[in-house]
Coordinates of all heavy atoms in Angstrom, one line a residue:
E13 N 4.2 62.2 -26.5 CA 5.3 62.2 -27.5 C 6.1 60.9 -27.4 O 6.2 60.2 -26.4 CB 6.3 63.4 -27.2 CG 5.6 64.7 -27.5 CD 6.5 65.9 -27.3 OE1 7.7 65.7 -27.1 OE2 6.0 67.0 -27.3
R14 N 6.7 60.5 -28.6 CA 7.5 59.3 -28.6 C 8.8 59.5 -27.9 O 9.4 60.5 -27.8 CB 7.8 58.9 -30.1 CG 6.6 58.4 -30.8 CD 6.8 58.1 -32.3 NE 7.8 57.0 -32.5 CZ 8.0 56.6 -33.7 NH1 7.4 57.0 -34.7 NH2 8.9 55.6 -33.8
L15 N 9.2 58.4 -27.3 CA 10.5 58.3 -26.6 C 11.6 58.3 -27.7 O 11.4 57.8 -28.8 CB 10.6 57.1 -25.7 CG 9.6 57.1 -24.6 CD1 9.7 55.8 -23.8 CD2 9.7 58.3 -23.6
P16 N 12.8 58.7 -27.4 CA 13.9 58.6 -28.4 C 14.1 57.2 -28.8 O 14.1 56.2 -28.0 CB 15.1 59.1 -27.6 CG 14.6 59.9 -26.5 CD 13.3 59.3 -26.2
D17 N 14.2 56.9 -30.1 CA 14.4 55.6 -30.7 C 13.3 54.6 -30.4 O 13.5 53.4 -30.5 CB 15.7 55.0 -30.2 CG 16.9 55.9 -30.6 OD1 16.9 56.5 -31.7 OD2 17.9 56.0 -29.8
E18 N 12.1 55.1 -30.1 CA 11.0 54.2 -29.8 C 10.3 53.8 -31.1 O 9.9 54.7 -31.9 CB 10.0 54.9 -28.9 CG 8.8 54.1 -28.4 CD 7.9 54.8 -27.5 OE1 7.7 56.0 -27.6 OE2 7.4 54.1 -26.6
R19 N 10.2 52.5 -31.4 CA 9.6 52.1 -32.6 C 8.1 52.3 -32.6 O 7.5 52.4 -31.5 CB 9.9 50.6 -32.8 CG 11.4 50.3 -33.1 CD 11.6 48.8 -33.4 NE 10.7 47.9 -32.8 CZ 11.0 47.1 -31.8 NH1 12.2 47.0 -31.3 NH2 10.0 46.3 -31.3
P20 N 7.5 52.5 -33.8 CA 6.1 52.8 -33.8 C 5.2 51.8 -33.1 O 4.2 52.2 -32.4 CB 5.7 52.8 -35.3 CG 7.0 53.2 -36.0 CD 8.1 52.5 -35.1
E21 N 5.4 50.5 -33.2 CA 4.6 49.5 -32.5 C 4.7 49.6 -31.0 O 3.8 49.4 -30.2 CB 4.8 48.1 -33.0 CG 6.2 47.6 -32.7 CD 6.4 46.2 -33.3 OE1 5.5 45.7 -34.0 OE2 7.4 45.6 -32.9
R22 N 5.9 49.9 -30.5 CA 6.2 50.0 -29.1 C 5.5 51.3 -28.6 O 4.9 51.3 -27.5 CB 7.7 50.1 -28.8 CG 8.1 49.9 -27.4 CD 9.5 49.6 -27.3 NE 10.0 49.6 -26.0 CZ 11.2 49.1 -25.6 NH1 12.0 48.5 -26.5 NH2 11.6 49.1 -24.3
Y23 N 5.6 52.4 -29.4 CA 4.9 53.7 -29.0 C 3.4 53.5 -29.0 O 2.8 53.9 -28.0 CB 5.3 54.7 -30.0 CG 4.5 56.0 -29.9 CD1 4.7 56.9 -28.8 CD2 3.6 56.4 -30.9 CE1 4.0 58.1 -28.7 CE2 2.8 57.5 -30.8 CZ 3.0 58.4 -29.7 OH 2.3 59.5 -29.6
A24 N 2.9 52.8 -29.9 CA 1.4 52.6 -30.0 C 1.0 51.8 -28.8 O -0.1 52.1 -28.2 CB 1.0 51.8 -31.3
A25 N 1.8 50.8 -28.3 CA 1.4 50.0 -27.2 C 1.5 50.8 -25.9 O 0.6 50.8 -25.0 CB 2.3 48.8 -27.1
R26 N 2.5 51.7 -25.8 CA 2.6 52.5 -24.6 C 1.5 53.5 -24.5 O 0.9 53.7 -23.5 CB 4.0 53.3 -24.7 CG 4.2 54.1 -23.4 CD 5.7 54.6 -23.4 NE 6.0 55.5 -24.5 CZ 5.8 56.8 -24.6 NH1 5.3 57.4 -23.6 NH2 6.2 57.5 -25.7
V27 N 1.1 54.1 -25.7 CA 0.0 55.1 -25.7 C -1.3 54.4 -25.3 O -2.1 54.9 -24.5 CB -0.1 55.8 -27.1 CG1 -1.4 56.6 -27.2 CG2 1.1 56.7 -27.3
E28 N -1.5 53.2 -25.9 CA -2.7 52.5 -25.6 C -2.8 52.2 -24.1 O -3.9 52.4 -23.5 CB -2.7 51.1 -26.4 CG -4.0 50.4 -26.3 CD -5.2 51.1 -26.9 OE1 -5.0 51.7 -28.0 OE2 -6.3 51.1 -26.3
Y29 N -1.7 51.8 -23.5 CA -1.7 51.6 -22.0 C -2.0 52.9 -21.2 O -2.8 52.9 -20.3 CB -0.4 51.0 -21.6 CG -0.3 50.7 -20.1 CD1 -0.8 49.6 -19.5 CD2 0.4 51.6 -19.3 CE1 -0.8 49.4 -18.2 CE2 0.5 51.4 -17.9 CZ -0.1 50.3 -17.4 OH 0.0 50.0 -16.0
I30 N -1.3 53.9 -21.6 CA -1.4 55.2 -20.8 C -2.8 55.8 -20.9 O -3.4 56.2 -19.9 CB -0.4 56.2 -21.4 CG1 1.0 55.8 -21.0 CG2 -0.7 57.6 -20.8 CD1 2.1 56.6 -21.6
V31 N -3.4 55.8 -22.1 CA -4.7 56.5 -22.2 C -5.9 55.6 -21.8 O -7.1 56.0 -21.8 CB -4.9 57.0 -23.6 CG1 -3.9 58.1 -24.0 CG2 -5.0 55.9 -24.7
A32 N -5.6 54.3 -21.4 CA -6.7 53.4 -21.1 C -7.4 53.8 -19.8 O -8.5 53.4 -19.5 CB -6.2 52.0 -20.9
G33 N -6.8 54.7 -19.0 CA -7.5 55.2 -17.8 C -7.3 54.3 -16.6 O -6.4 53.4 -16.6
P34 N -8.0 54.5 -15.5 CA -7.8 53.8 -14.3 C -7.9 52.3 -14.4 O -7.4 51.6 -13.6 CB -8.8 54.4 -13.3 CG -9.5 55.4 -14.1 CD -9.1 55.5 -15.5
D35 N -8.7 51.8 -15.4 CA -8.8 50.3 -15.5 C -7.8 49.7 -16.5 O -8.0 48.6 -16.9 CB -10.2 50.0 -16.0 CG -11.3 50.4 -15.0 OD1 -11.0 50.4 -13.8 OD2 -12.4 50.8 -15.5
R36 N -6.7 50.5 -16.7 CA -5.7 50.0 -17.7 C -5.1 48.7 -17.2 O -4.9 48.5 -16.0 CB -4.7 51.1 -17.9 CG -3.8 51.4 -16.8 CD -2.7 52.5 -17.0 NE -3.2 53.7 -17.5 CZ -3.6 54.7 -16.7 NH1 -3.5 54.6 -15.4 NH2 -4.0 55.9 -17.2
S37 N -4.6 47.9 -18.1 CA -3.9 46.7 -17.7 C -3.1 46.2 -19.0 O -3.5 46.5 -20.1 CB -4.8 45.5 -17.3 OG -5.5 45.0 -18.4
L38 N -2.0 45.5 -18.7 CA -1.2 45.0 -19.8 C -2.0 43.9 -20.5 O -1.8 43.8 -21.7 CB 0.1 44.4 -19.2 CG 1.1 45.4 -18.7 CD1 2.3 44.7 -18.1 CD2 1.5 46.4 -19.8
E39 N -2.8 43.2 -19.8 CA -3.6 42.2 -20.4 C -4.6 42.8 -21.5 O -4.7 42.2 -22.6 CB -4.4 41.4 -19.3 CG -5.2 40.2 -19.9 CD -4.4 39.2 -20.5 OE1 -3.2 38.9 -20.1 OE2 -4.8 38.6 -21.6
S40 N -5.2 43.9 -21.1 CA -6.2 44.5 -22.1 C -5.4 45.0 -23.3 O -5.9 44.9 -24.4 CB -7.0 45.5 -21.4 OG -6.2 46.6 -21.0
V41 N -4.2 45.6 -23.1 CA -3.4 46.1 -24.2 C -3.0 44.9 -25.1 O -3.0 45.0 -26.3 CB -2.2 46.9 -23.7 CG1 -1.3 47.3 -24.9 CG2 -2.7 48.1 -23.0
S42 N -2.6 43.8 -24.4 CA -2.2 42.6 -25.1 C -3.3 42.1 -26.0 O -3.0 41.8 -27.2 CB -1.7 41.5 -24.1 OG -1.5 40.3 -24.7

Side-chain angles (χ1 to χ4, degrees):
E13 294 182 11
R14 284 176 69 171
L15 300 175
D17 300 325
E18 186 175 34
R19 292 188 329 253
E21 65 181 8
R22 193 167 172 162
Y23 170 71
R26 184 170 60 89
V27 169
E28 188 64 40
Y29 178 80
I30 290 170
V31 299
D35 295 330
R36 68 180 57 89
S37 72
L38 292 176
E39 184 61 36
S40 65
V41 174
S42 170

